[in-house]
Amino acid sequence: MTFNPFNTRIGLALGGGAAKGIAHIGALKAFEEERIGIHCISGTSAGALIASYYAFGRPAESILSICSTLNLSKIINFTFERGGLFSTDAIREMILRDLGDVRVEDADIPLAICATDIETGEQLIFREGNLADVVCASMAVPGLFVPVEIDGRTLVDGGLVENVPISPLARMGAGITVAVDLSHVRRYPKPEGTFDVIANAINIGIDFNTRKQLKTADIAVPLDLSDYSLTNNADRVEALYQEGYRPMKTKIRSVLWYKRMHVVISLLKTAWTFVPLKVPEIFSDLKRQRGSLRSRR
């Protein structure tokens, strides 16, 4: 994307987090209340599902009514296919029922869905293609869901590479990037068996990368949702919704400030990039010069 300090279009990245994805809906509600438009939106896994509904014109309250009763038992179908225990057919049927047989490029808000090629480890960013197919691919947790094949490639959960998909937003025209991370936990659950140890190990690896990736966002909203379930929060919907709403409502002030100061911030970032000497290097040069003068005395 060409550098443009006057570009204040907002790009929103929604991260993965399974049943914790309801918090994303609260974040979207905060944008709606402040009447701040989202120019483009990207999503991974649960974030891909929420981003899709919003990009195709569903307001936050409508998405909440659809997703509030979702839990793992309702979106999985046991299968005898190779590669996973469950199929993503229930997710596909839900999308087809609510949004229709639509394509990513037809969204009202420019949309990007992220998945991972399980054979090459490559991140795939879908900005076109059948919506139900790519969302199912982005949500196909390895070992749990059967991978989804698209154009001859075997695809799984996009969170393996970029759990909060910030990277597509600049290419989609965003000048200000906002990222919502549902997995910013301070401590992982005490493992009670082999499966728990494996799950913690995978999450630690993903979250370590995510923390580094969040630094590339202009505004990050890290949420510690360790008290909530990855599989079923049907009895805590309002509380989880508020977990996304309240922090984003606070961060909205930063978004508005960033929009007002964007030209100055962009120019300072560019100037810093081209500064030939960093501050520590300047101090080092002064110290060397000082030592040189002393040696001459």
Side-chain angles (χ1 to χ4, degrees):
M1 179 181 165
T2 305
F3 171 70
N4 179 5
F6 299 100
N7 179 7
T8 58
R9 290 174 291 190
I10 295 172
L12 179 63
L14 303 181
K20 299 177 183 181
I22 290 171
H24 283 319
I25 306 172
L28 290 170
K29 182 63 176 178
F31 274 96
E32 288 181 352
E33 286 187 348
E34 297 297 329
R35 298 183 179 180
I36 298 177
I38 297 171
H39 171 78
C40 56
I41 189 167
S42 61
T44 293
S45 197
L49 182 67
I50 303 300
S52 296
Y53 273 79
Y54 198 74
F56 275 89
R58 292 297 182 98
E61 289 186 3
S62 173
I63 302 172
L64 183 64
S65 67
I66 294 168
C67 297
S68 60
T69 58
L70 284 183
N71 58 62
L72 190 62
S73 65
K74 290 188 177 182
I75 64 170
I76 61 176
N77 295 323
F78 187 76
T79 181
F80 291 100
E81 297 180 57
R82 296 177 60 185
L85 299 174
F86 309 104
S87 76
T88 53
D89 291 345
I91 300 170
R92 181 185 307 278
E93 290 168 7
M94 186 178 78
I95 294 171
L96 293 175
R97 179 198 70 203
D98 296 331
L99 301 178
D101 189 12
V102 295
R103 296 181 63 81
V104 177
E105 61 267 32
D106 295 330
D108 300 331
I109 300 172
L111 172 66
I113 304 296
C114 299
T116 304
D117 187 319
I118 197 62
E119 296 182 38
T120 66
E122 179 186 358
Q123 180 189 44
L124 271 71
I125 300 172
F126 289 95
R127 294 189 56 193
E128 58 183 28
N130 182 273
L131 180 70
D133 287 346
V134 300
V135 171
C136 285
S138 184
M139 296 185 71
V141 179
L144 187 61
F145 289 102
V146 175
V148 176
E149 187 169 309
I150 298 178
D151 296 332
R153 306 188 75 161
T154 306
L155 306 180
V156 297
D157 195 322
L160 293 179
V161 178
E162 190 177 16
N163 199 38
V164 184
I166 303 161
S167 63
L169 295 176
R171 296 194 294 273
M172 297 170 72
I176 301 171
T177 55
V178 182
V180 183
D181 176 22
L182 303 181
S183 304
H184 206 81
V185 299
R186 295 183 181 88
R187 188 178 183 85
Y188 296 88
K190 183 178 178 62
E192 297 180 0
T194 303
F195 177 79
D196 293 336
V197 172
I198 294 172
N200 278 9
I202 293 172
N203 288 331
I204 289 169
I206 291 174
D207 296 346
F208 179 77
N209 285 332
T210 300
R211 280 170 167 75
K212 293 190 294 184
Q213 292 162 355
L214 280 178
K215 294 177 182 178
T216 65
D218 294 314
I219 299 170
V221 186
L223 305 179
D224 183 352
L225 304 178
S226 52
D227 291 336
Y228 295 86
S229 170
L230 284 167
T231 59
N232 186 4
N233 293 297
D235 59 341
R236 305 181 68 189
V237 170
E238 180 60 28
L240 187 51
Y241 173 84
Q242 291 294 330
E243 294 280 5
Y245 173 80
R246 288 193 299 266
M248 185 57 79
K249 194 75 172 177
T250 301
K251 288 286 186 176
I252 287 294
R253 299 190 190 104
S254 299
V255 175
L256 293 172
W257 179 85
Y258 216 99
K259 284 174 71 71
R260 289 193 294 268
M261 298 295 293
H262 190 60
V263 173
V264 175
I265 294 169
S266 298
L267 292 175
L268 286 174
K269 283 182 177 179
T270 304
W272 186 255
T273 301
F274 290 101
V275 170
L277 292 174
K278 304 297 183 184
V279 172
E281 294 174 349
I282 294 172
F283 285 139
S284 297
D285 288 344
L286 290 173
K287 191 174 182 179
R288 282 195 296 270
Q289 291 173 10
R290 192 174 176 183
S292 177
L293 289 172
R294 284 179 178 176
S295 64
R296 292 175 185 173
R297 291 176 181 174

